[in-house]
Structure formats: C-alpha cells, structure tokens
C-alpha cells in the first residue's frame, strides 16, 4: 500500500546524495500499517498438539499465523472436510449458533411475588384468611381481597415491563446468517449456518453476511463492513490470509475462507456471552428497595414481637383479638404499594421520555440514570456520523488551483453512481452533486482497484474543448505518477502534510491533474502534476459538542471508548472539546507504565478522556472498573461490539440506527439522530428521582407513624383498631401518592444518590411527631371532656363519655385523623423549603382533595357492620380537621431543625469518609444506609429456586452461553478449537 522502497535502487542512476534521501522518503498514510503473518511457534509436524501449547498466544494465534499453519492446526485442506468429519466436529464444538434461555411466563410472573416486601403482603393475607378464623368469627375476607388485589397489581406491572424488554442474545442470534455456502469433499453446497464447524471451507460474495469467523484463502477485491462489530469507521479491504468476523457484511467482491471459530467462540459470539452476564445480580433500584424494606421490616418486627409479649402474655388477650392488632401493624406498617407506586412513577417517566424520542426498555434504568456520574460513549456512529467527510479546513494545495478547484477536480475523478464511501464523501463535498459531471463530457473512467489504489477520469472540458485527466488515490501512488513541476521542496512539504494528517487520524487523498494534446482520450498527457491533498475523516455529529458540554454542566463526566485508532480518537476528542488524554486498549492489560503519574490502572481509567482500539471485552472491563470505584456508569453505542458494555452498564443507551444487538442490550433506545436526547433524559430522570425520594421519605414515615402509634395505643389503652380501616387508609394514601408521578419538582444539577440515612432520619422524625398527634388526641378524648365541653359534641348513643377505649365512634375519629394528616405529610416531604412555597401539581392537589372528601364522607356515613366503626357527627369531623391543621404547621420546622442538626452531621461525616476513601483508593459507596439490609438478592425479580424448579419440570431452556474470563478473542479461539482437536484427533502424524 506504500511506496516505501525496501531495497536500495540501482547505483549510478542518480547522485549519491539523492539516493539515500529517496530511500528514506515515504508517504505513510494513516492506517497503512500492516501486521505480517507469523508462524505458530510449535512443531507443526505433530498434529496432536498439546493443549498447554495452545494456551500461549505467543505460540499460536489463529488470527495471525500463516494460512498454511491454520490448515495444519485445524487438520483440513482446501477441498473441505469429509461429511463424517464435519459431523464429528459438530459434536465436539457444538452448533454455530447462540442459545438463549426461554423463561416460562407463569413462573416469571410468580417471581415478582418473591421478595421481602411481597412476603409481608402475603403473610398479612394469610393471617386475614386463615389464622383469623377463630373465636366464632369468619375469616377476614375483606382484608384478604384488598391485600391480594394490591399484590397482583404490583406483580402485573412488573411482569408486563419484563416481558416487553428486549432480549439481547436473541437479537444477536437473529443477526447471524441463516445459510452458508460450504465445500465438503471438494463439492460446494448450501447448508444451515448452524452446521458449520472449524475447518470448513466457506464462500461469500457482495451482500452476504459472513457466517463464521474465518481466514481468507481467496479474495477478489473484497471489502468487509465490520463497523458494528469492531467500531471501525470504514469498510475494510481484505486480502488472502486476513480474518473476517462472523456477522460482518461483504460490501464488495467475493471470497473463500477456512472457518476458524463458530458459535459462542467467534468474535460475535463472545460479545453475546458478555451480554446479560450479570443478569442474575440485583439491580440498583432493587438494592434500594431492599434497604427501605429492611427498615420497615425491622420496625414492624420489633413492635409485632412486643405486641405478642404484651397482649398475649401481659394482657391475656384472646387469640383472635391479639391477631387483629398484629394485622393492623402488618397492613399499615409495610409500604404495601411501594413497588407499584415506584413502577407507576417510572412508567410515567418513560412516557415523558418518549416525547424526546427515547424508548425505555428497562424501566428501572430511569432511576439509575439520575445517579450516573460517568458517561462512556462509543465514537463511531455515536459521537460521530459514521459518514466520511472531506475536512475543507485542512485541504492542502500545491499547484495553481484553489481548494474549491481541487475538490471539484477530485469529484470529477469519483463515481457518481455505485459509489464507495470515499467517492461519496468527495462528491458530497462540492455541495451540489450534479456539478460532478456538469460542464464536462466523460470519455474514460478507471474505478478504484486494490492494485492501482487510485481512480482516474479522462474528460472533455466543454467550455474550452480541451481533453484533461484527473486522478485521485493513495499519496505514495499519486506522487510517483507525477512528473510535471515536481520538486524536492514539494515532496518535502507533501511528506510533512501526510505525516501531520496521520498524527491527527486523518486519511490523506492526493489529487493530480494533466492535459492531453489532440483528440485521442487514450493518448499520453503532458504529465501529471500534484495539485492537492484532501483530508478524510468521520465528523462529529452537529449536536455532540453541545451535548457533552451540557452533560459536564450536570456533573456527568464523558469518556470516549472506541474501537478506532488512537490518532482518530484524539482528533475527535479535540474537535469535541472532550480532551485528547487517551490511551490505547493495551494499557488495560499492561497497566500504567512504571514511574508514570498513575499509580494504578483504576487511577488511569478515571483520569483518561478515553480509550482507543478497544474490543468488546475492553469496553466491558472499563465499565466494570468504573462501577467498582463506586460510580454509576452509562454507556452509549450503536453496534454489536457495544452490546456487552451496554448490558453491563447501569444504563445502556443505544443511539439512533443501532443494530438489533445493541438495542436489545440497551436500557434506553434513541430513535432520533444525535445525543441531545441524553441530556433531556438525565434531567427528566432526576425529576423522577426526586419524586421517588419524596415518596420514600413519606412511606417510611407512615410506617413509623402507624406501627408506633397503634402499638402505643394498644399498650396504653388496649385499643383494638379495626384492620379493615387501616387497609382503607392504605388504599386512599396510595391512590393519592401515585399522582406524585406527575408532581412538579426541580431536577438537581449534580448526580443524585440514595442517602438512606437521611431518608430514615427524616422518616423517624416525621413518624414520631405524627404518632404524638394521634396519641395526644386519644388521651384528650379518653382522659378529659375538653371537646364535649367546648364544642358540645357527643359520642356513641349520645353518650358524654366514650364507651371504653374501643368505642366505635372513637375508632372512626382516629381513622379520620390518621387518614388526613398522613396524606398531608406528602406536601412537607416533597418540598425543600416551606410547603406553600413549592406549588404541587394539579393532579396531586386534586387527588388529595378527593381522598380527604372520601375520608370525611366515610366518617360521616360509614356504619359498616363487618368492622368496628360507627359514623360521627359533623362537629367531630370539624374538630379533627382543625386538630390536624394545628399539628401540620410545625412539620416544616421539624424539617428545618433536622437539616440543621442531624442531616448536617450525617453529610459532614459522609464527606469526611469519602475524602478518606479517595486518599486511600478505597471505592466510594454511593448508596448510604444505616439500616442492616437483609439479602438484597431476594429483591431481584429473577429467583434461583424458581429457575431450578422450571428446569426440573422441563419449563424454559438451558443457558449455554456462560460468563468466562475476559480475554482476547483470538486466544479464546485458539484454546477452544486447537485444544479440542488435540484431545480428539481425527488422524495421527
């Protein structure tokens, strides 16, 4: 590809001084470096190789060893395998396809009912329907139906979301070529691609998908588009001995090759094996639910145990009476609809994101996006357009023509139909593509071919009637053609310009021009003259720089992770203002250089602006390490090579035009070009996060308030509150709180994190204060006649005093007081200042008013025989409303007091801890909690015991693609293919 002279020229043909200069001169264009094939460093006369030899890539690498050694290593020849040998190898290596798990829908639905929050719901239902059947009373059907209803709603929402999520491995499978042309026993035939084995001879042509990883044995003008696999900007020209990847597309020519890897062992298959590798791990939101659930469970557990001892052992309650009191704590204490409320909040958020042309395939990713601190982005097709362009600002001219003239002449020397990527970019550079043939008459055109490495046009200029010729192509080839006006100074300048292009990752395209005398278009011209040098590059998208600036303003650091060369990555980083502090992928294996500024690989990854020349396992490793350092990481990409990292990242984002594999692995899929949607998504996710945080404080506070309040009342007054009324409170509360999904909140300007210590501190303060409001009201009614004397109200049957602690009207009074002030708490938890300074949404305010109206109507008319309540007069309803207003006002002052004392102390201690961890290199933990969490994995929707049960009864498929040590793909191929054949030889030496 280069005109570098490998041997000295003939002596005496030119002065001795010029000879060395000519030998040294080279126009090494960007991307021209070639790796020469090597030999396997083993004794190839022994076909039965030892497996340990094949584990050493220095000895065997099926990607780079000479093609003859490949045939020897794989025990095959160019006539193909014998059918019986193909069958034997199919058994050894397995089919050339990826297997995925098919999960039974019913068991998947049941899995959503398997977590501690659901267990408490199920336990309460069990208590209501089975254990409550005693003391000559029927089962508590009302509570049972209500609890089961909420449980099924929650599970149905989760199941619906799960079933609609994309299956990444299936998308990868669908991308494989279904048919393949293979030679067996010297005869070509078409077979299912899944039947291919290592050692098979295959053939493919333009438009075909390469069916398996192979090394070419015959290639005619072959160009392969493997951008979706490797991230390279251009289709790659392939010659004999080169490797082609399974799943790539043949864009030009036709080829034959020997299969070196199939199925999960291919480059494509390894990407698939990394997708969903951590599928069974607990998601971030599940961890938060686990810790919030643990807090509620511990609180409930303490008071349930206390009630068992006090009510049964101390007060000698009958079985059914004590059980009703415990049921109150179970129903009222657990945030029974928390998963449902959060799911609705996220679902509404997903609908709002859809307005920005972003499809959310994993709904919990919205919550994680709010906390993302680092955005890792693929370059090709993501930050850039994946469309070659002429950089007009860097055009170099050497002759009498201007830059515009050079581009126009280059367009003359380009095809206007059936264009390759370079011709298309040149013609597009002139603006109006019709100008590429305007004013000239085409006489002869020579398209690009791998031998000449240039195009050439001979044409008649209609305005002058002169014949002219223009050629464009590789710099070294073009300058050798030039004979007119070529000087030493010009060659030196050209060499410097090409070198500058190469260092910036720009591909050079030289243009030369000559005129012809006479009318013969095939005649010799007056000699080519170099007139210009064009720079070709893949430009950034128009909105990418603004997107990066916006992301940085939101506290999100952006890192480029690309399969392209380092020089291209640096140039793109400079153009985007991203920085050019980038490293090649090899540092991920070798680590930082000794004595350098980075003490560890983690420190280098954090400091870098990006990495170049990466493969799927490198992207995966970068994301994994960033997560190990305590960061929530987002990854954007468009190709199958991005799928593993998209799957591993906390939030995988597939850009517009992404492959099915990338869309399947991603959590968010963009349907419009550009990355500006990501900034909208980050802002929207932070709004959603604030809504969920507000609800979490509210839910935990209500748990404290219900459990502590009714436990104290039962201990102090043997107060038996009816469980059904607690269920009514829960239904009305949750119905109101679901409107939080539409609430007006402001997004934060920094990444959000779940500081559960703060949430629980606020919850305890609010909960105890509201408990005091209820206990004080009961005490006044039970111990005094204050309300009767002042307002002339009466209780059951016109009685002046309550008929004991379990007066039915007293139950109704407490129901109304708890229902009103519990719902009103949301206005305090949703605001950062005074509650009246931050206007709620119309939906939230409307739902609150409706719920209070319903509660008041129930209090006024609710004579229900199946539960222990009785309607109360309007006077009592008014008293309760005034009482709650008086107790509600100080809630804001409690919030401010908590911020000034407890919360300030917690934040100061956390900042000191993070500073200490940063200095020692210990990863930070963004999810803070002071509650001891029970096993977080129990909150995962995918439950191991259900999977085992499914397999025992034959439901669902077996997962065959398993996580393995992350290694270079060629090493995997060498290990799998060669080692297996070594252990199972088909013939001896």
């Amino acid at each position: 590809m280069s005109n570098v002279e490998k041997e000295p020229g003939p002596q005496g043909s030119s002065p001795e001084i010029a000879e060395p200069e000519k030998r040294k001169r080279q126009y090494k264009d960007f991307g021209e470096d070639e790796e020469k094939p090597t030999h396997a460093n083993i004794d190839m006369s022994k076909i039965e190789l030892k497996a340990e030899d094949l584990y050493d890539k220095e000895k065997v690498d099926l990607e780079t060893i000479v093609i003859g050694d490949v045939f020897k290593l794989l025990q095959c020849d160019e006539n193909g395998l014998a059918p019986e040998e193909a069958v034997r190898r199919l058994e050894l290596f397995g089919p050339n396809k990826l297997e995925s798990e098919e999960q039974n829908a019913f068991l998947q639905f049941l899995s959503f009912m398997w977590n501690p929050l659901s267990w408490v719901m199920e336990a309460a239902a069990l208590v209501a329907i089975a254990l409550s059947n005693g003391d000559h009373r029927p089962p508590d059907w009302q509570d049972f139906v209500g609890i089961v209803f909420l449980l099924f709603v929650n599970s149905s929402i989760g199941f619906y979301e799960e079933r609609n999520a994309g299956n990444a491995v299936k998308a990868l499978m669908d991308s494989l070529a279904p048919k393949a042309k293979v030679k067996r026993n010297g005869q070509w035939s078409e077979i299912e691609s899944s039947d291919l084995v290592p050692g098979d001879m295959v053939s493919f042509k333009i438009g075909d998908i390469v069916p398996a990883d192979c090394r070419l044995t015959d290639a005619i003008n072959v160009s392969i588009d493997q951008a979706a696999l490797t991230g390279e900007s251009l289709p790659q020209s392939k010659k004999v001995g080169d490797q082609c990847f399974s799943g790539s597309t043949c864009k030009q020519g036709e080829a034959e090759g020997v299969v070196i890897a199939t199925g999960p062992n291919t480059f494509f298959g390894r990407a698939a094996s990394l997708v969903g590798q951590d599928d069974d791990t607990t998601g971030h939101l599940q961890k938060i639910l686990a810790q919030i659930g643990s807090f509620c469970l511990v609180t409930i557990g303490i008071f349930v145990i206390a009630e068992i001892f006090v009510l049964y052992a101390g007060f000698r309650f009958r079985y059914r009476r004590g059980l009703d009191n415990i049921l109150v704590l179970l129903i009222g204490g657990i945030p029974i609809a928390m998963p449902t409320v959060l799911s609705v909040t996220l679902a509404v958020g997903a609908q709002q994101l859809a307005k920005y042309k972003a499809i959310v395939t994993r709904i919990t990713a919205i919550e994680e996006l709010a906390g993302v601190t680092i955005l890792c982005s693929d370059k090709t097709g993501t930050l850039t357009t994946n469309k070659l362009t002429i950089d007009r600002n860097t055009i170099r001219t050497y002759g009498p023509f201007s830059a515009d003239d050079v581009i126009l002449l280059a367009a003359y020397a380009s095809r206007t139909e059936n264009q390759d990527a370079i011709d298309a970019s040149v013609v597009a550079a002139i603006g109006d593509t019709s100008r590429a043939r305007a004013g000239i008459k085409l006489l002869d055109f020579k398209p690009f071919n791998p031998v000449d490495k240039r195009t050439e046009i001979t044409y008649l200029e209609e305005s002058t009637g002169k014949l002219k010729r223009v050629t464009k192509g590789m710099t070294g080839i073009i300058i050798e053609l030039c004979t007119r006006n070529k000087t030493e100074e010009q060659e030196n300048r050209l060499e410097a310009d090409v070198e500058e292009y190469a260092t910036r990752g720009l591909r050079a395209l030289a243009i030369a021009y000559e005129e012809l005398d006479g009318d013969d278009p095939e005649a010799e011209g007056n000699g080519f003259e170099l007139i210009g040098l064009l720079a070709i590059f893949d430009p950034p998208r128009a909105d990418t720089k603004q997107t990066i600036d916006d992301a940085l303003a939101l506290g999100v650091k952006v890192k480029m992770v690309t399969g392209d060369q380092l020089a291209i990555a640096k140039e793109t980083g400079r153009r985007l203002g991203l920085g050019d502090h980038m490293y090649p992928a090899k540092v991920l294996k070798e680590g930082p250089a000794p004595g350098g500024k980075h003490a560890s690989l983690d420190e280098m990854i954090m400091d870098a602006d990006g990495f170049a020349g990466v493969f799927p396992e490198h992207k995966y490793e970068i994301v994994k390490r960033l997560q190990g350092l305590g960061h929530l990481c987002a990854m954007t990409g468009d190709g199958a090579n991005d799928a593993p990292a998209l799957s591993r990242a906390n939030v995988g984002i597939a850009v517009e035009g992404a492959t099915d594999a990338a869309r399947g692995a991603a959590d968010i899929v963009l349907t419009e070009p550009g990355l500006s949607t990501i900034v909208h998504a980050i802002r929207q996710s932070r709004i959603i996060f604030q809504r969920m945080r507000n609800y979490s404080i509210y839910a935990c506070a209500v748990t404290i308030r219900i459990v502590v309040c009714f436990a104290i009342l039962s201990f102090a007054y043997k107060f038996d509150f009816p469980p059904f009324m607690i269920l009514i409170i829960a239904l009305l509360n949750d119905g109101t709180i679901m409107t939080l999904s539409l609430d007006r909140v402001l997004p934060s300007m920094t990444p959000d994190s779940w500081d559960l210590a703060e949430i629980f501190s606020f919850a305890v303060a609010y909960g105890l204060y509201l408990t005091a409001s209820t206990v004080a009201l009961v005490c006044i009614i039970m111990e005094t006649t204050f309300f009767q004397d002042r307002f002339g109200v009466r209780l059951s049957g016109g009685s002046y005093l309550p008929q004991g602690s379990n007066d039915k009207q007293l139950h109704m009074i407490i129901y109304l007081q708890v229902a009103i002030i519990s719902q009103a708490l949301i206005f305090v938890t949703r605001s950062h200042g005074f509650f009246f300074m931050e206007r709620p949404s119309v939906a939230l305010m409307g739902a609150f008013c409706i719920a209070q109206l319903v509660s008041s109507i129930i209090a006024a008319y609710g004579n229900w025989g199946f539960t222990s309540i009785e309607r109360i007069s309007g006077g009592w309803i008014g008293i309760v409303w005034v009482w709650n207003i008086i107790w509600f006002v100080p809630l804001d002052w409690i919030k401010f007091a908590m911020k000034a004392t407890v919360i300030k102390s917690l934040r100061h201690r956390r900042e000191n801890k993070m500073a200490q961890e940063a200095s020692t290199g210990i990863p930070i933990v963004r999810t803070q909690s002071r509650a001891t969490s029970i096993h977080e994995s129990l909150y995962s929707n995918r439950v191991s015991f259900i999977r085992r049960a499914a397999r025992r009864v034959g439901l669902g498929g077996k997962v065959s693609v398993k996580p393995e040590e992350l290694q270079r793909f060629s090493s995997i191929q060498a290990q799998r293919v060669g080692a297996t054949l070594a252990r199972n030889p088909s013939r001896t030496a």
Side-chain angles (χ1 to χ4, degrees):
M1 295 173 70
S2 170
N3 68 323
V4 180
E5 298 185 23
K6 304 294 184 182
E7 302 293 340
Q11 298 298 320
S13 60
S14 59
E16 291 187 4
I17 293 179
E19 183 77 22
E21 177 65 27
K22 242 186 167 358
R23 277 201 307 271
K24 281 196 244 177
R25 184 180 300 285
Q26 51 183 301
Y27 301 94
K28 196 72 171 176
D29 197 2
F30 180 78
E32 285 193 68
D33 294 323
E34 295 183 6
E35 291 186 9
K36 294 183 178 180
T38 59
H39 286 276
N41 187 20
I42 52 177
D43 185 358
M44 291 304 296
S45 64
K46 297 180 179 179
I47 302 300
E48 294 186 43
L49 297 174
K50 294 181 180 179
E52 54 265 26
D53 290 333
L54 296 167
Y55 288 114
D56 188 354
K57 189 183 173 186
E58 298 301 321
K59 295 181 178 180
V60 177
D61 186 347
L62 290 176
E63 257 191 21
T64 60
I65 60 175
V66 296
I67 199 70
D69 285 359
V70 172
F71 281 114
K72 291 180 181 179
L73 181 64
L74 298 182
Q75 305 173 10
C76 60
D77 56 41
E78 292 193 358
N79 288 320
L81 300 173
E84 56 272 15
E85 175 65 9
V87 172
R88 187 185 77 90
R89 294 191 182 199
L90 190 62
E91 294 176 355
L92 290 176
F93 299 108
N96 180 36
K97 64 179 182 179
L98 307 178
E99 294 186 23
S100 62
E101 179 180 14
E102 292 294 334
Q103 192 171 18
N104 179 264
F106 178 68
L107 293 178
Q108 186 180 6
F109 176 79
L110 292 182
S111 71
F112 285 90
M113 300 185 186
W114 188 258
N115 62 66
L117 288 178
S118 296
W119 292 343
V120 176
M121 295 167 69
E122 292 152 10
L126 185 63
V127 168
I129 195 63
L131 301 182
S132 291
N133 190 6
D135 290 346
H136 305 291
R137 293 167 60 189
D140 195 347
W141 287 102
Q142 296 83 5
D143 290 334
F144 173 77
V145 171
I147 294 169
V148 170
F149 173 76
L150 287 178
L151 182 64
F152 270 81
V153 167
N154 174 52
S155 298
S156 298
I157 292 175
F159 172 76
Y160 177 79
E161 295 161 3
E162 182 83 2
R163 295 297 289 181
N164 282 283
N167 187 318
V169 176
K170 183 178 184 300
L172 288 166
M173 285 177 59
D174 293 343
S175 298
L176 286 173
K179 297 286 185 179
K181 192 174 181 181
V182 64
K183 184 189 282 187
R184 299 266 173 89
N185 270 355
Q187 299 294 320
W188 289 102
S189 62
E190 190 174 67
I191 64 171
E192 296 288 336
S193 63
S194 59
D195 293 333
L196 289 177
V197 295
D200 264 331
M201 293 297 299
V202 294
S203 171
F204 52 87
K205 61 185 184 302
I206 183 170
D208 289 346
I209 296 177
V210 180
D213 283 8
C214 59
R215 292 284 299 279
L216 299 185
T217 59
D218 187 20
I220 304 174
N221 200 20
V222 173
S223 177
I224 300 292
D225 181 4
Q226 54 193 36
L229 294 170
T230 64
E232 295 165 301
S233 305
L234 288 169
Q236 301 296 304
S237 296
K238 299 289 184 180
K239 60 183 184 303
V240 171
D242 285 348
Q243 182 182 26
C244 292
F245 296 125
S246 170
S248 56
T249 305
C250 182
K251 289 293 188 181
Q252 185 176 335
E254 54 184 277
E256 295 179 13
V258 56
V259 174
I260 62 173
T262 58
N265 305 325
T266 61
F267 188 108
F268 193 86
R270 282 295 297 160
S273 71
L274 296 179
V275 173
Q277 176 166 312
D278 297 300
D279 198 45
D280 288 329
T281 61
T282 308
H284 185 257
L285 187 58
Q286 277 74 31
K287 292 181 180 180
I288 302 304
L289 283 174
Q291 293 177 309
I292 294 176
S294 298
F295 174 83
C296 297
L297 289 175
V298 169
T299 303
I300 293 170
I302 291 172
F303 285 92
V304 165
I305 292 173
E307 280 203 347
I308 290 173
F309 280 103
V310 174
L311 301 186
Y312 287 116
F315 296 161
R316 303 294 178 179
F317 272 19
R318 295 176 65 86
Y319 167 74
R320 182 66 181 266
R321 182 181 179 187
L323 207 58
D324 283 346
N325 280 276
I326 292 174
L327 199 59
V328 167
L329 302 192
L330 292 177
I331 297 174
I334 197 70
I336 196 168
M338 175 178 281
T340 304
V341 171
L342 295 184
S343 294
V344 170
T345 303
L346 292 172
V348 171
Q351 294 174 1
Q352 293 169 338
L353 284 178
K355 297 177 182 177
Y356 296 108
K357 306 300 181 182
I359 300 172
V360 180
T361 62
R362 181 175 66 87
I363 202 165
T364 55
I366 298 175
E367 175 268 334
E368 296 179 38
L369 184 60
V372 161
T373 54
I374 294 178
L375 172 63
C376 293
S377 178
D378 176 49
K379 179 190 73 70
T380 307
T382 305
L383 296 176
T384 63
T385 61
N386 195 20
K387 183 178 180 181
L388 293 184
T389 303
I390 301 297
D391 188 351
R392 300 180 70 96
N393 296 325
T394 58
I395 295 175
R396 302 288 188 265
T397 58
Y398 304 93
F401 297 100
S402 68
D404 288 338
D405 293 334
V406 170
I407 293 178
L408 182 59
L409 291 174
Y412 288 169
S414 302
R415 276 182 165 174
T416 56
E417 297 179 353
N418 300 321
Q419 299 169 313
D420 60 20
I422 292 178
D423 281 355
S425 67
V426 173
V427 172
I430 62 175
D432 183 1
T433 56
S434 64
R435 293 179 58 203
R437 292 293 180 265
I440 66 171
K441 180 179 180 181
L442 176 63
L443 302 177
D444 183 51
F445 187 87
K446 295 177 181 178
F448 180 88
N449 65 77
V451 177
D452 295 332
K453 296 183 174 63
R454 66 186 182 93
T455 63
E456 181 181 287
I457 184 174
T458 304
Y459 63 92
L460 172 67
E461 191 174 57
E462 295 176 346
S463 61
T464 63
K466 291 183 179 181
L467 294 184
K468 298 182 179 182
R469 186 175 290 142
V470 180
T471 183
K472 77 175 194 315
M474 302 292 293
T475 310
I477 299 295
I478 298 300
I479 193 62
E480 283 297 309
L481 288 175
C482 293
T483 58
R484 186 160 52 94
N485 297 331
K486 183 166 69 172
T487 64
E488 188 74 17
E489 180 183 357
Q490 185 190 62
E491 289 190 85
N492 289 338
R493 183 181 162 206
L494 177 64
E495 187 175 13
D497 288 341
V498 172
E499 184 176 346
E500 180 196 350
Y501 280 4
T503 59
R504 295 178 58 184
L506 304 174
R507 182 161 296 180
L509 191 67
I511 316 298
Y513 160 89
E514 70 174 356
E515 295 184 355
L516 286 71
D517 295 328
D519 299 327
D520 184 6
E522 297 183 1
E524 291 290 331
N526 63 349
F528 278 110
E529 175 184 0
L530 180 70
I531 62 171
L533 195 68
L534 304 182
I536 305 175
F537 77 115
D538 180 13
R541 292 182 184 270
D543 64 342
T544 300
K545 188 177 188 308
Q546 184 62 47
T547 298
I548 291 174
D549 292 342
D550 291 344
L552 293 174
L554 291 171
V556 180
K557 186 174 181 180
V558 182
K559 295 180 184 293
M560 182 193 301
V561 184
T562 176
D564 233 329
Q565 289 95 333
L566 183 61
I568 295 178
K570 287 187 174 183
E571 176 67 12
T572 304
R574 283 190 289 264
R575 290 173 182 262
L576 292 174
L578 191 60
D580 59 359
H581 192 198
M582 301 186 186
Y583 299 97
K586 65 181 181 180
V587 301
L588 297 173
K589 180 179 180 182
E590 299 172 357
K597 69 173 185 176
H598 299 121
S600 66
L601 179 57
D602 287 341
E603 186 179 332
M604 175 181 283
I605 291 176
M606 279 301 302
D607 183 58
D609 294 321
F611 293 88
V614 298
F615 283 86
E617 80 275 21
H618 296 135
K619 296 183 181 183
Y620 183 96
E621 181 70 13
I622 290 169
V623 171
K624 185 176 180 180
R625 282 184 174 272
L626 289 171
Q627 290 173 325
L629 292 171
H631 291 275
L632 291 185
C633 188
M635 172 78 193
T636 68
D638 66 335
N641 62 316
D642 300 316
L646 289 172
S647 175
R648 170 72 202 195
N650 299 95
V651 183
I653 304 170
V655 298
E656 188 269 341
T659 63
D660 288 343
R663 288 197 297 268
D667 306 306
I668 298 175
V669 179
L670 308 184
T671 59
E672 282 193 347
L675 296 180
S676 59
T677 300
I678 294 178
V679 174
H680 293 302
I682 291 174
R683 290 197 181 102
Q684 191 64 39
S685 68
R686 292 183 183 179
I687 290 174
I688 295 165
F689 181 92
Q690 291 298 320
R691 293 167 179 164
M692 292 194 296
R693 179 182 178 275
N694 296 342
Y695 171 72
S696 299
I697 296 175
Y698 168 82
C700 293
V702 169
T703 293
I704 295 288
R705 171 277 193 287
I706 296 292
V707 171
V708 177
C709 174
F710 288 106
I712 289 176
L713 290 178
S714 65
F715 297 159
Y717 292 106
K718 298 182 180 180
F719 192 79
D720 300 330
F721 194 73
F724 185 78
M725 299 312 295
I726 283 289
L727 187 60
I728 293 295
I729 291 173
L731 287 169
L732 289 175
N733 282 356
D734 293 331
T736 301
I737 295 305
M738 283 188 186
T739 59
L740 272 179
S741 59
L742 300 172
D743 193 23
R744 294 162 46 94
V745 294
L746 294 175
S748 64
M749 293 305 293
T750 56
D752 289 311
S753 62
W754 286 95
D755 194 331
L756 296 182
E758 291 188 11
I759 289 176
F760 296 154
S761 298
F762 277 123
V764 170
Y766 295 146
L768 293 180
Y769 178 79
L770 295 184
T771 293
S773 73
T774 304
V775 173
L777 180 61
V778 173
C779 288
I780 292 175
I781 295 175
M782 291 294 297
E783 306 295 338
T784 74
T785 58
F786 175 79
F787 295 120
Q788 293 90 323
D789 295 337
R790 285 298 183 99
F791 304 106
V793 291
R794 296 292 183 268
L795 291 169
S796 299
S799 173
Y800 191 71
L801 296 173
Q803 298 176 3
S805 59
N806 289 308
D807 185 285
K808 291 184 178 182
Q809 286 195 337
L810 178 59
H811 285 168
M812 185 66 86
I813 291 170
I814 300 308
Y815 155 76
L816 184 61
Q817 193 272 334
V818 171
I820 292 173
I821 200 166
S822 294
Q823 286 192 30
L825 176 64
I826 190 59
F827 296 110
V828 176
T829 63
R830 67 171 294 277
S831 60
H832 296 282
F834 287 103
F835 76 92
F836 53 82
M837 298 295 291
E838 299 179 29
R839 182 166 65 87
S841 66
V842 174
L844 177 60
M845 197 66 201
F848 172 79
C849 293
I850 292 173
Q852 301 319 307
L853 179 62
V854 171
S855 296
S856 299
I857 290 173
I858 291 174
Y861 300 101
N863 283 332
W864 296 337
F866 60 83
T867 188
S868 182
I869 60 168
E870 185 178 310
R871 69 183 185 88
I872 56 177
S873 65
W876 278 112
I877 294 175
I879 289 171
V880 171
W881 269 97
V882 173
W883 179 267
N884 280 337
I885 291 172
I886 293 172
W887 278 84
F888 176 79
V889 173
L891 277 170
D892 273 333
W893 295 105
I894 292 176
K895 175 171 59 184
F896 300 146
M898 287 292 295
K899 286 183 177 181
T901 55
V902 177
I903 304 305
K904 183 178 180 180
S905 175
L906 289 174
R907 290 179 178 175
H908 182 68
R909 183 167 62 181
R910 184 174 70 251
E911 289 170 0
N912 290 339
K913 182 179 179 182
M914 291 175 64
Q916 182 180 2
E917 290 173 345
S919 63
T920 57
I922 301 174
I924 63 173
V925 180
R926 290 182 55 77
T927 303
Q928 307 288 334
S929 173
R930 297 176 59 84
T932 302
S933 174
I934 59 178
H935 303 294
E936 293 170 349
S937 61
L938 296 176
Y939 285 82
S940 174
N941 290 334
R942 301 172 177 85
V943 187
S944 57
F945 91 91
I946 288 183
R947 291 189 173 208
R948 289 195 297 270
R951 289 173 187 143
R952 287 196 189 100
V953 298
L955 298 173
K958 183 178 179 181
V959 181
S960 61
V961 182
K962 298 182 181 297
E964 297 177 4
E965 182 182 3
L966 299 177
Q967 299 185 43
R968 181 73 170 86
F969 291 113
S970 56
S971 298
I972 296 290
Q973 295 164 5
Q975 292 172 23
R976 297 277 181 81
V977 180
T980 304
L981 286 177
R983 291 192 298 269
N984 303 273
S986 60
R987 61 182 186 271
T988 58

